Amino acid sequence: MSASLTEASNAPRKKERFQIKNKYKLFLMAFPFLVLGFIFSYLPLFGWVYAFYDFRPGIPLSKSEFIGFHWFTAMFSNEVQRDEMIRVLRNTFAISSLGILTSVLPVIFAILLTEVRNSKFKRMVQTLTTLPNFISWVLVYSFAFMLFSVDNGFLNNLLMSLGLIDTPTNILASSNNTWLAMTLWGVWKGLGWGAIMYIAAITGIDPELYEAAKVDGASRFHQIWHVTVPGIIPTFFVLLILSIANFINNGMEQYFVFANAMNMANIEVLDLYVYNVGFTGSNFGFATAVSIMKSIVSLFLLFLANGLSKAVRGETII
Amino acid sequence: MVKQKKWSALIAFVCLMLVFTTACSGNKDNSDGDKQTPESSKEVITDWSQEEEVTLNVFSTLANFTGEQPGWFAKVVKDKFNIKLNIIQGGLEGKLATQMASGDLGDLIVGMGGKDYTDAVKAGLLLDWTKNGMLDNYGKNMQKYAPDALEANKTQYGSGTAIYGIGHNVGTGDGPSEGATMTFGPYLRWDLYEELGRPEIKTMDDYLPVLKQMQEKQPTTESGKKVYAFSLWSDWDGDFATLPKVHAQLHGYSEGDGFNPGSLILVKADEPDIQPMLDDNSYYMKGLKFYFDANQMGLLDPDSLTQTFGDVSTKFKDGQVLFAQFPWLTTTYNTPENTADGKGFALVPFQEQQIYSSGFNPYGGGWIWSIGSKTKHPERVMAFLDWMYSPEGVMEGFNGPKGLAWDLDADGKPMLTELGQNAMYNGDTAVPDEYGGGIWNDGAGNFGKLNNTTLSTSQINPDNGEPYDFRSWTSELTRDPDPVTKSWREAMGVLTDKEWFVKNDQVAVTKAFFNGQPPADEPSDIKLKRSQVGKTIKEYSWKMMFAKDEAEFDKLKQELVKKAQGLGYDDVINWQTEQTKNTVFTLYDK
Amino acid sequence: MAIREKFSLFDVINYIVLTLITVACFFPFYYLFINTISNNDLSSKGLVMFYPKDIQFSNYVHVFKIPGLVQAAVVSVGRTVIGTLVTVAASGLLGFLFTKQEMWGRRFWYRFLVVTMYFNAGLIPWYLIMRDLGMINNFMAYILPAIVSPFFIILVKTYVESTPIALQESAQMDGAGYFTIFLKIVMPLITPILATIAIFSAVGQWNQFYDTLFLMTDQKLFSLQFILWRYLNEATSVAEIMKQSGGAMRVDASMMPTATSIRTTVTMIVVIPILMVYPFFQRFFVKGIMIGAVKG
């Protein structure tokens, strides 16, 4: 090791070579992982070709009918279907936007939590608020049903006994504020969990910065605003950009368990819709076409958001 | 530097090694599989219990279970065939597709039918039973008890030469193929109905005022919960709301013709008549109206929209519901404790009814049993399947090994043992260790957790002259009935539900159809349209049932029809109608 | 921070807000828990709300009798520990490497990995590749695909970039190689993010059932979460079977949904280990400050 040091510092030409060597050395260190990434993420993409066939598992492609872009256009083939698509995309857009708006809540929560000085309280809050993350949506729904059902639901009972309402209502079957309700369930489930990353970011902030701010006579809010917030911002932006790229991928489990005839018009996001038309399980050509479109849109959004970030903040994340 | 180089090289090496070793080990497994020779050479094995133990992968699209078959059924097959059954739940989304794509469906395949089955045949995933004398050597019972089903499979899927499987629920004879109870029927709380003096019921609508009175008689349960006449659930809905559709089954219609795929037409069981689902007068629309009226009268549980079957099942158990659409739904309430108190559900028929019934089908149904072409133990799988098609197999597969839950009486007739009398009605009953231990439910089901039938259980068992289904045994029908059943029998003058329907000519029985062709294959564009239309029907159906008033009901109905048509409803109906006319309706041409 | 400040109005409000949030997050879990240890009859009628009634542990006894539960727990712990270790190590190293401007094709390779986050090849191609790699009924199927996780790599990279570069530069001047710099200089600085990744990765491994569902048919390799998922999904799969048959199939004992109490109990058994391990990780957050203080 000392040899390389002398080499590097003594001869400029050799230093150049050292740089070149470093260039490849770094690459070689990453290489095995790039191979893994290639194997597990790129190789399966051969399956995208299924989108262009009337593909049936087990039957070789050579014996399957080539149908071109049929699956890509099937969902838009007439006016009623286009209307359906518009409705579904509107839901997707609304719920994703609300999700992005509320993504600032875990940041606030993390800041509030780190402002707590009683470490026992802090740990307790931090642990207990992650709990909802571990309860699957199916069970979340059975809890919600217990709270809101007409027959003996907690809330209806409460409102009735307080005399606020005369007849119980089926709150889960309400078509009002579905987007907001879904967002709030999402916040409830993800708040404590999402805050972990920000708590990590805050603990990484150099304490000297706080000391310096204090010396300058900064109030607590000033410290938060000028030290804590800038410390979190990089993490926040990374997650924001990634969630923008995930705009059309709402997932479906949550919406699946909460959906019913009354709120279906407002709850059906893209993923749920694709599932509901009953095709993912049996029509792989169609399912693949949807995956391809989603991948393309996501990548487009990713690079768009990244570009925006470069224009606004002068930094990119990828 | 040196150290660093070593490290990076090491990491690279380890990672590549990992990748390659796993890749290689995978290949090795495969070659092992190929090398394996069939376990028997030439002579036919009759006693499998002496052969070496093997684990069979059973791929069941009907199973609701994953893992090794437990309980008494495991013991039975272990003793007879020295096999363990590793059940793979094939109904889970994507599971069938991945197995198909991988080219290996396992050793025994249960319940796969329709297009998937045709594909599997085409892809060479199923074993041809006519090769190597498989069927002749190891399929004697199938040849004896289900010859038509084998023949049907041969012409439908094997181009007249090969046999790739055998249909389920094989049976011959006239009349309903159901057991003591039918699949559908109007069931009321018998105790309350009696208290009202058993008012006469002519049409479905007549139930509503009666139920209203019953609800007034018992407004809350003992635990203080509100009682409703109807409590529905939506998680079983496919292309329509399932429970209003049962209205059709009560009038002799069913979705589809029982042969082709067809979920949006209601077809009469025993006449060439079709009702498109959304026709003004279809029994589906009448069903929606019925529940709408019920809701207007306060008879419909408002949670119906948001609850699942599990919730409803709890409500039945607690006595919160007065009307059941399926006989099996009543079992959670008709416990020995409740019936001893005289409380329980029983069939309360209406005069107009025509219960839909599936007739016996010698060609077998569409949940086909087949054997994987890659199996290493074809003979043993065949022998095991053949046993399930034998009287002994059916008897033991459903009722347990002889001597445990049932036995033969002095006259050679089957009867439940003391343990059986408990176990059949309470699955938590403990099973002695010599029979496999655990509880009754561990082994119970349709051949354990495989969950498919072979021979129809209402067929007469040639060994003892009684049906296979214990509920229809003379010993069981005459065994001292509970107060509810007793009172019901006295009032109706019959022993079982089925007897009532047959006696009063209130049943519509389907005829078995077979023309040598497989069922129609739904084109993908029809399929897409159907699923979108179905989704719309489902959504509007619930809105209609819970509409505020008649006006809203009618408005929603019109919206539904308009939207469905926009999504291609007419194309779907035309296609489905055509299939039925070309196949099943030819039965009536003669 | 060390200076004791006055307990201000802000603190009061803060404590109240956090307490409310905690209650809202904790209560449902608590509710589910007390229902698993209460009389099942009372619980299914919805009569257990705030405190357990007729305490009993039969649900837990029942769940511990589920065949293969212990084996599944071993599998789950194994995949969680091993998977987390390799994921954290790989993400840490890669995140660090990608901050090095001089790396050959850095931007390209970084993007090469990042974009895979949004790839979705579909179930069948994934399955076929996994099969060809010999991952069917192979424990490695739980580990190998998890090694390269773009999301974690991004997090580490972002974090490393926010640490002072001067330390690394001076080490380089002293002749330290990249690997040494990573181990000796960078690793201690990024402990908080590594701990975060460890938590995320561990919980991800612990909660994963999808790979078991498709790749494992051997009961010995089932994970705990898969067993839980089977219970939770039971009702859905019965519904699927019923949809196929339009309600014409007879529902027998094997089709009846497992009591909610049992399903909830299985959830508890899966979640409680996480709760017990979690505080251990929290230490790293505090520790991060200390190291930062020393180095800074």
Side-chain angles (χ1 to χ4, degrees):
Chain A
M1 258 192 243
S2 58
S4 73
L5 179 71
T6 39
E7 265 177 6
S9 50
N10 289 351
R13 258 193 71 220
K14 278 192 176 172
K15 188 180 177 186
E16 214 168 81
R17 237 176 60 204
F18 171 76
Q19 287 293 347
I20 294 168
K21 269 172 80 185
N22 273 354
K23 190 169 141 177
Y24 294 114
K25 192 179 294 158
L26 281 163
F27 171 70
L28 280 179
M29 285 172 86
F31 180 70
F33 301 101
L34 297 175
V35 171
L36 279 179
F38 178 77
I39 290 174
F40 288 108
S41 300
Y42 282 86
L43 278 187
L45 292 185
F46 79 86
W48 276 8
V49 69
Y50 296 160
F52 305 95
Y53 286 88
D54 190 1
F55 171 71
R56 303 281 310 174
I59 309 282
L61 276 187
S62 54
K63 288 186 192 159
S64 306
E65 191 192 346
F66 180 81
I67 51 163
F69 283 89
H70 177 81
W71 297 129
F72 291 86
T73 53
M75 307 279 278
F76 312 93
S77 58
N78 70 36
E79 206 182 326
V80 180
Q81 285 182 336
R82 275 192 291 273
D83 286 351
E84 282 285 279
M85 235 21 225
I86 289 170
R87 176 180 63 84
V88 167
L89 288 177
R90 197 181 58 214
N91 293 336
T92 308
F93 188 85
I95 290 176
S96 290
S97 304
L98 284 170
I100 287 176
L101 283 181
T102 52
S103 65
V104 71
L105 293 177
V107 179
I108 297 173
F109 177 71
I111 294 175
L112 291 181
L113 193 63
T114 45
E115 286 302 314
V116 169
R117 275 170 306 228
N118 181 332
S119 74
K120 262 192 193 150
F121 181 75
K122 192 156 139 186
R123 279 192 182 191
M124 195 185 73
V125 171
Q126 202 191 335
T127 307
L128 295 183
T129 49
T130 55
L131 277 175
N133 182 58
F134 303 119
I135 307 175
S136 62
W137 281 112
V138 181
L139 281 183
V140 169
Y141 184 76
S142 60
F143 177 75
F145 186 72
M146 183 281 301
L147 272 188
F148 299 123
S149 65
V150 183
D151 172 66
N152 238 27
F154 175 73
L155 191 71
N156 272 313
N157 280 1
L158 185 76
L159 292 178
M160 295 265 278
S161 60
L162 291 177
L164 290 173
I165 53 170
D166 302 328
T167 46
T169 53
N170 195 340
I171 297 154
L172 290 170
S174 153
S175 57
N176 303 327
N177 306 323
T178 309
W179 296 338
L180 193 62
M182 286 303 108
T183 308
L184 288 178
W185 279 112
V187 167
W188 170 76
K189 204 161 185 285
L191 185 73
W193 190 244
I196 293 180
M197 255 178 290
Y198 299 116
I199 293 170
I202 294 173
T203 50
I205 296 172
D206 192 343
E208 274 186 14
L209 292 175
Y210 288 102
E211 296 303 326
K214 241 175 266 177
V215 172
D216 291 347
S219 73
R220 216 157 144 193
F221 293 102
H222 275 101
Q223 288 177 35
I224 292 176
W225 190 247
H226 293 290
V227 182
T228 313
V229 171
I232 306 183
I233 282 283
T235 310
F236 179 71
F237 268 92
V238 168
L239 296 178
L240 181 68
I241 289 171
L242 296 183
S243 64
I244 289 174
N246 261 327
F247 205 76
I248 54 167
N249 308 319
N250 304 81
M252 67 154 248
E253 208 193 339
Q254 178 188 359
Y255 310 100
F256 178 77
V257 299
F258 275 96
N260 57 57
M262 298 302 170
N263 63 19
M264 190 58 94
N266 294 324
I267 206 172
E268 221 171 17
V269 293
L270 187 65
D271 287 331
L272 181 61
Y273 180 73
V274 170
Y275 176 85
N276 278 349
V277 294
F279 255 37
T280 42
S282 55
N283 188 328
F284 285 88
F286 176 77
T288 312
V290 172
S291 304
I292 294 178
M293 287 195 280
K294 281 174 60 176
S295 297
I296 292 172
V297 172
S298 291
L299 289 178
F300 171 75
L301 289 173
L302 178 68
F303 284 99
L304 183 77
N306 195 49
L308 278 178
S309 158
K310 189 171 188 178
V312 176
R313 294 176 59 239
E315 276 176 43
T316 58
I317 67 143
I318 61 161
Chain B
M1 264 303 277
V2 178
K3 196 178 164 194
Q4 184 190 329
K5 201 185 258 166
K6 250 196 215 154
W7 268 107
S8 27
L10 191 70
I11 292 177
F13 179 67
V14 168
C15 286
L16 288 173
M17 275 303 288
L18 278 176
V19 171
F20 286 118
T21 47
T22 48
C24 293
S25 71
N27 292 338
K28 208 168 67 196
D29 278 354
N30 288 344
S31 55
D32 267 0
D34 294 337
K35 256 182 262 162
Q36 200 100 12
T37 46
E39 50 193 339
S40 74
S41 41
K42 287 285 163 258
E43 85 271 28
V44 176
I45 299 171
T46 47
D47 183 7
W48 289 100
S49 61
Q50 300 308 313
E51 300 291 311
E52 130 198 70
E53 184 190 84
V54 294
T55 299
L56 299 184
N57 284 327
V58 181
F59 185 84
S60 173
T61 60
L62 300 166
N64 190 27
F65 180 87
T66 307
E68 202 173 287
Q69 167 70 43
W72 56 259
F73 187 68
K75 178 87 165 94
V76 168
V77 297
K78 170 95 172 90
D79 289 351
K80 284 211 160 59
F81 297 96
N82 206 13
I83 51 178
K84 285 183 174 171
L85 302 172
N86 182 32
I87 296 168
I88 300 161
Q89 196 175 346
L92 301 172
E93 191 169 318
K95 192 73 187 170
L96 177 67
T98 53
Q99 297 291 121
M100 293 267 278
S102 78
D104 186 2
L105 283 169
D107 299 308
L108 178 63
I109 300 136
V110 185
M112 185 174 64
K115 178 85 167 127
D116 296 324
Y117 188 77
T118 330
D119 282 347
V121 170
K122 225 197 278 178
L125 302 181
L126 304 181
L127 187 80
D128 178 2
W129 300 357
T130 59
K131 297 268 164 67
N132 302 327
M134 286 283 290
L135 191 63
D136 293 333
N137 289 336
Y138 299 99
K140 293 262 188 285
N141 285 303
M142 286 190 267
Q143 287 176 329
K144 185 170 175 194
Y145 296 103
D148 291 341
L150 289 171
E151 206 50 39
N153 190 282
K154 197 191 254 181
T155 44
Q156 285 181 316
Y157 303 103
S159 323
T161 52
I163 297 179
Y164 294 109
I166 185 165
H168 83 295
N169 212 22
V170 177
T172 47
D174 295 325
S177 71
E178 287 84 357
T181 57
M182 309 299 276
T183 314
F184 308 92
Y187 290 79
L188 294 189
R189 272 284 293 282
W190 184 255
D191 46 325
L192 297 172
Y193 180 65
E194 259 199 324
E195 278 180 48
L196 291 176
R198 301 207 298 262
E200 194 187 25
I201 294 177
K202 284 203 179 99
T203 68
M204 274 306 278
D205 290 334
D206 294 344
Y207 284 105
L208 296 176
V210 175
L211 283 162
K212 186 80 199 163
Q213 282 171 288
M214 286 166 66
Q215 190 192 31
E216 276 156 11
K217 264 197 165 325
Q218 188 155 71
T220 56
T221 65
E222 276 158 33
S223 55
K225 298 219 174 171
K226 197 161 185 313
V227 170
Y228 292 98
F230 308 96
S231 193
L232 315 180
W233 62 97
S234 61
D235 53 332
W236 289 5
D237 293 356
D239 290 331
F240 41 75
T242 303
L243 289 144
K245 188 233 43 184
V246 172
H247 230 69
Q249 262 95 358
L250 300 181
H251 293 90
Y253 286 79
S254 167
E255 76 279 11
D257 54 26
F259 181 71
N260 295 300
S263 54
L264 297 186
I265 50 169
L266 299 173
V267 184
K268 186 86 200 298
D270 51 0
E271 279 169 49
D273 187 35
I274 289 177
Q275 293 183 342
M277 189 84 81
L278 297 185
D279 267 20
D280 247 359
N281 281 320
S282 80
Y283 281 112
Y284 183 70
M285 287 309 213
K286 285 184 183 162
L288 293 181
K289 185 70 174 31
F290 176 76
Y291 288 110
F292 164 76
D293 290 337
N295 188 41
Q296 297 294 311
M297 295 169 72
L299 293 173
L300 182 58
D301 182 351
D303 282 328
S304 293
L305 255 173
T306 40
Q307 67 195 352
T308 59
F309 171 63
D311 301 314
V312 179
S313 154
T314 314
K315 287 185 176 176
F316 265 98
K317 193 173 174 184
D318 196 28
Q320 280 181 267
V321 194
L322 301 174
F323 184 98
Q325 295 85 348
F326 305 97
W328 46 259
L329 199 49
T330 64
T331 51
T332 47
Y333 187 77
N334 286 14
T335 57
E337 297 84 60
N338 279 335
T339 49
D341 282 356
K343 294 187 292 188
F345 282 88
L347 174 74
V348 176
F350 62 104
Q351 285 175 10
E352 273 186 1
Q353 77 191 354
Q354 280 262 291
I355 299 291
Y356 182 91
S357 158
S358 308
F360 287 105
N361 188 346
Y363 312 110
W367 293 336
I368 302 170
W369 297 82
S370 44
I371 299 177
S373 57
K374 297 242 169 90
T375 179
K376 294 174 203 162
H377 319 283
E379 293 86 0
R380 198 163 341 184
V381 182
M382 192 74 188
F384 170 52
L385 178 56
D386 187 60
W387 171 77
M388 291 193 279
Y389 271 86
S390 72
E392 179 197 290
V394 177
M395 200 68 181
E396 301 204 344
F398 283 87
N399 304 321
K402 181 165 173 283
L404 175 61
W406 64 278
D407 218 327
L408 296 176
D409 63 12
D411 304 327
K413 295 284 172 196
M415 51 170 280
L416 291 184
T417 61
E418 201 176 323
L419 184 137
Q421 290 175 13
N422 286 323
M424 293 298 190
Y425 299 97
N426 176 10
D428 289 333
T429 307
V431 171
D433 281 341
E434 75 242 51
Y435 289 103
I439 58 169
W440 177 257
N441 266 356
D442 288 344
N446 298 335
F447 297 106
K449 311 287 188 192
L450 307 192
N451 213 13
N452 195 13
T453 56
T454 53
L455 302 176
S456 166
T457 52
S458 23
Q459 287 268 92
I460 303 296
N461 180 350
D463 294 351
N464 57 39
E466 295 263 339
Y468 297 106
D469 182 359
F470 73 91
R471 293 176 199 86
S472 308
W473 292 347
T474 317
S475 61
E476 196 54 17
L477 291 176
T478 49
R479 182 164 68 92
D480 129 66
D482 63 62
V484 176
T485 311
K486 199 161 165 248
S487 146
W488 182 83
R489 284 179 180 168
E490 278 161 12
M492 308 297 278
V494 289
L495 277 179
T496 67
D497 297 357
K498 180 158 100 176
E499 203 183 330
W500 166 269
F501 290 123
V502 173
K503 194 175 134 193
N504 291 283
D505 198 17
Q506 290 187 334
V507 64
V509 187
T510 58
K511 284 201 196 81
F513 174 78
F514 177 68
N515 68 349
Q517 295 295 318
D521 174 18
E522 192 178 24
S524 6
D525 63 316
I526 293 293
K527 194 169 176 179
L528 179 62
K529 284 175 184 167
R530 191 212 0 112
S531 57
Q532 287 183 316
V533 170
K535 207 171 77 65
T536 311
I537 295 182
K538 203 159 56 174
E539 186 182 330
Y540 273 84
S541 298
W542 286 99
K543 285 185 175 166
M544 284 161 73
M545 288 187 267
F546 283 93
K548 274 200 312 289
D549 48 36
E550 291 271 356
E552 197 190 347
F553 182 88
D554 290 333
K555 192 177 130 253
L556 286 165
K557 187 161 140 186
Q558 278 156 19
E559 268 177 45
L560 165 60
V561 172
K562 195 166 153 241
K563 198 168 171 192
Q565 278 170 348
L567 289 167
Y569 171 74
D570 294 331
D571 298 341
V572 180
I573 296 293
N574 288 339
W575 184 83
Q576 294 188 349
T577 308
E578 198 186 320
Q579 303 315 312
T580 300
K581 285 196 170 147
N582 288 341
T583 56
V584 177
F585 281 2
T586 56
L587 283 172
Y588 306 103
D589 286 348
K590 293 145 204 169
Chain C
M1 289 266 265
I3 306 161
R4 191 131 194 97
E5 284 171 62
K6 221 173 62 197
F7 206 74
S8 64
L9 181 66
F10 170 80
D11 287 305
V12 176
I13 296 171
N14 194 11
Y15 272 82
I16 293 175
V17 168
L18 289 179
T19 307
L20 287 179
I21 293 176
T22 307
V23 170
C25 289
F26 177 63
F27 181 71
F29 185 83
Y30 170 79
Y31 167 83
L32 292 172
F33 177 70
I34 56 171
N35 270 286
T36 62
I37 57 166
S38 296
N39 181 313
N40 283 338
D41 266 349
L42 297 176
S43 143
S44 71
K45 287 173 189 164
L47 297 175
V48 181
M49 277 304 266
F50 298 107
Y51 51 91
K53 289 179 186 164
D54 273 3
I55 293 184
Q56 48 90 27
F57 295 97
S58 67
N59 290 323
Y60 287 85
V61 172
H62 185 108
V63 169
F64 280 117
K65 277 190 195 153
I66 293 174
L69 195 79
V70 176
Q71 174 69 20
V74 172
V75 170
S76 280
V77 170
R79 71 175 290 178
T80 303
V81 172
I82 301 173
T84 305
L85 284 176
V86 297
T87 306
V88 170
S91 309
L93 180 64
L94 280 170
F96 162 71
L97 292 178
F98 283 126
T99 59
K100 294 284 144 211
Q101 306 286 343
E102 60 266 34
M103 178 177 169
W104 179 67
R106 180 185 78 111
R107 234 168 120 81
F108 175 78
W109 294 119
Y110 183 53
R111 289 186 170 185
F112 175 84
L113 291 186
V114 167
V115 293
T116 60
M117 252 195 299
Y118 300 99
F119 284 174
N120 183 355
L123 178 63
I124 293 180
W126 169 77
Y127 178 84
L128 291 179
I129 292 289
M130 293 301 271
R131 185 199 58 176
D132 293 344
L133 292 171
M135 294 289 150
I136 307 294
N137 286 330
N138 183 340
F139 181 76
M140 278 298 142
Y142 293 143
I143 308 298
L144 292 183
I147 294 177
V148 177
S149 311
F151 178 61
F152 297 153
I153 297 171
I154 297 175
L155 285 183
V156 173
K157 180 173 172 274
T158 315
Y159 204 92
V160 173
E161 279 166 352
S162 75
T163 58
I165 189 79
L167 286 170
Q168 288 187 46
E169 276 169 355
S170 65
Q172 206 161 8
M173 285 299 164
D174 295 342
Y178 289 118
F179 209 79
T180 320
I181 295 177
F182 173 65
L183 280 182
K184 295 272 161 64
I185 313 286
V186 178
M187 277 267 273
L189 277 177
I190 61 171
T191 331
I193 197 69
L194 292 184
T196 311
I197 292 176
I199 294 171
F200 276 68
S201 156
V203 170
Q205 283 280 1
W206 185 256
N207 281 345
Q208 186 63 267
F209 61 84
Y210 199 75
D211 41 15
T212 315
L213 170 61
F214 286 106
L215 302 176
M216 309 300 168
T217 52
D218 184 350
Q219 218 166 344
K220 286 193 210 73
L221 287 166
F222 285 179
S223 63
L224 201 56
Q225 191 69 25
F226 176 66
I227 291 182
L228 166 71
W229 177 82
R230 254 168 41 192
Y231 276 88
L232 289 180
N233 191 55
E234 219 177 27
T236 320
S237 60
V238 169
E240 280 305 317
I241 295 171
M242 294 309 289
K243 269 181 210 174
Q244 268 182 33
S245 67
M249 191 165 187
R250 302 179 70 92
V251 174
D252 59 29
S254 72
M255 311 270 290
M256 281 307 211
T258 310
T260 315
S261 56
I262 299 291
R263 296 192 279 156
T264 321
T265 307
V266 186
T267 304
M268 291 299 145
I269 288 175
V270 174
V271 174
I272 288 170
I274 306 181
L275 284 186
M276 299 202 300
V277 178
Y278 189 54
F280 168 77
F281 280 102
Q282 280 177 327
R283 267 173 230 189
F284 285 100
F285 294 134
V286 184
K287 212 174 153 200
I289 295 178
M290 312 264 286
I291 292 164
V294 174
K295 300 278 169 189

